[in-house]
Amino acid sequence: GENVEQHPSTLSVQEGDSAVIKCTYSDSASNYFPWYKQELGKGPQLIIDIRSNVGEKKDQRIAVTLNKTAKHFSLHITETQPEDSAVYFCAASMRPGYNKLIFGAGTRLAVHP
Amino acid sequence: NAGVTQTPKFRVLKTGQSMTLLCAQDMNHEYMYWYRQDPGMGLRLIHYSVGEGTTAKGEVPDGYNVSRLKKQNFLLGLESAAPSQTSVYFCASTNPPQTGKNTEAFFGQGTRLTVV
């Protein structure tokens, strides 16, 4: 079955710097790669996603890149702000809405003023 | 605009006790899921349902049972709680794939369960 590895487990940056979180997956049949942000005491919330027919997607300060050949995808956050501090999860599945959504272990991002 | 609501938010159980976690969604989603979240392990799928009256096993189903008697509700039961079931439990719901609808997964706020 699918296995998703996520690195680093913790990341500390200064406000205004960029942050990059990387994930690799094992199942070449995976075609949908969402990223979730989880704030303290809350459930995960979708922040951006990418499908296998796209190499990069941007939404304001966040972007996701996908390399299907190498089976890895990354989350990039530019101009980080203290409110970006949270736990970020990557995930993979065969398609959006498909029930077999496999999550990475999470990255705790701390943005220091 | 409630989305996905989980009840209760916190619970402490003694080993061997039983309990039911309730998940309710008001978005008319067909698919519902129960995940558990443990430190350093991300979220793991326990059981899921693709429609009213149907349920299926996920990655870690042992020790849990589920029921989907109504489309908007998905119940997770622990018949005989064990310390290994200490975790944070999340419910989620989505539209099914390939329907032209938004397939984003919406999560509840979580239930923190401690089994002593």
Side-chain angles (χ1 to χ4, degrees):
Chain A
E2 175 66 280
N3 181 50
V4 177
E5 294 191 356
Q6 183 172 347
H7 300 280
S9 57
T10 61
L11 182 58
S12 181
V13 300
Q14 291 296 124
E15 182 177 0
D17 288 349
S18 295
V20 180
I21 303 171
K22 299 181 179 182
C23 289
T24 60
Y25 62 99
S26 61
D27 191 345
S28 57
S30 290
N31 285 305
Y32 175 64
F33 308 93
W35 285 89
Y36 290 86
K37 176 182 181 182
Q38 185 178 26
E39 297 177 337
L40 194 61
K42 297 183 179 180
Q45 185 171 13
L46 180 71
I47 55 171
I48 195 168
D49 57 13
I50 192 167
R51 304 185 188 193
S52 62
N53 57 347
V54 175
E56 183 176 5
K57 184 177 179 181
K58 291 183 180 180
D59 183 3
Q60 299 182 349
R61 296 187 296 107
I62 60 174
V64 57
T65 59
L66 171 65
N67 183 328
K68 271 214 90 170
T69 302
K71 295 184 193 166
H72 65 70
F73 56 112
S74 301
L75 178 70
H76 304 253
I77 306 174
T78 58
E79 301 174 19
T80 53
Q81 301 168 3
E83 51 265 38
D84 294 330
S85 296
V87 179
Y88 292 81
F89 291 96
C90 62
S93 78
M94 288 181 61
R95 55 181 180 267
Y98 188 62
N99 44 58
K100 303 290 188 189
L101 192 61
I102 304 299
F103 285 83
T107 297
R108 184 174 299 278
L109 173 65
V111 181
H112 302 285
Chain B
N1 192 14
V4 179
T5 304
Q6 291 181 228
T7 310
K9 292 184 173 57
F10 303 94
R11 184 74 185 268
V12 178
L13 283 180
K14 293 183 179 179
T15 297
Q17 286 185 319
S18 63
M19 78 163 294
T20 300
L21 282 66
L22 171 64
C23 176
Q25 53 95 4
D26 61 3
M27 296 171 284
N28 202 35
H29 285 166
E30 287 291 334
Y31 288 16
M32 296 187 74
Y33 317 80
W34 275 107
Y35 289 89
R36 60 177 289 173
Q37 184 179 31
D38 301 295
M41 299 187 75
L43 286 86
R44 292 181 292 167
L45 184 63
I46 304 171
H47 285 281
Y48 62 97
S49 168
V50 298
E52 181 178 318
T54 72
T55 63
K57 295 180 180 180
E59 299 174 77
V60 289
D62 294 342
Y64 305 95
N65 57 76
V66 288
S67 63
R68 183 97 181 270
L69 298 179
K70 293 183 179 180
K71 184 177 182 179
Q72 63 269 32
N73 295 337
F74 195 29
L75 279 64
L76 178 70
L78 286 74
E79 290 186 350
S80 180
S84 60
Q85 294 178 304
T86 293
S87 188
V88 180
Y89 292 85
F90 287 98
C91 176
S93 69
T94 68
N95 282 310
Q98 300 176 333
T99 57
K101 298 179 182 178
N102 177 16
T103 51
E104 175 181 348
F106 290 86
F107 285 82
Q109 79 279 20
T111 296
R112 184 173 294 276
L113 175 65
T114 302
V115 182
V116 298

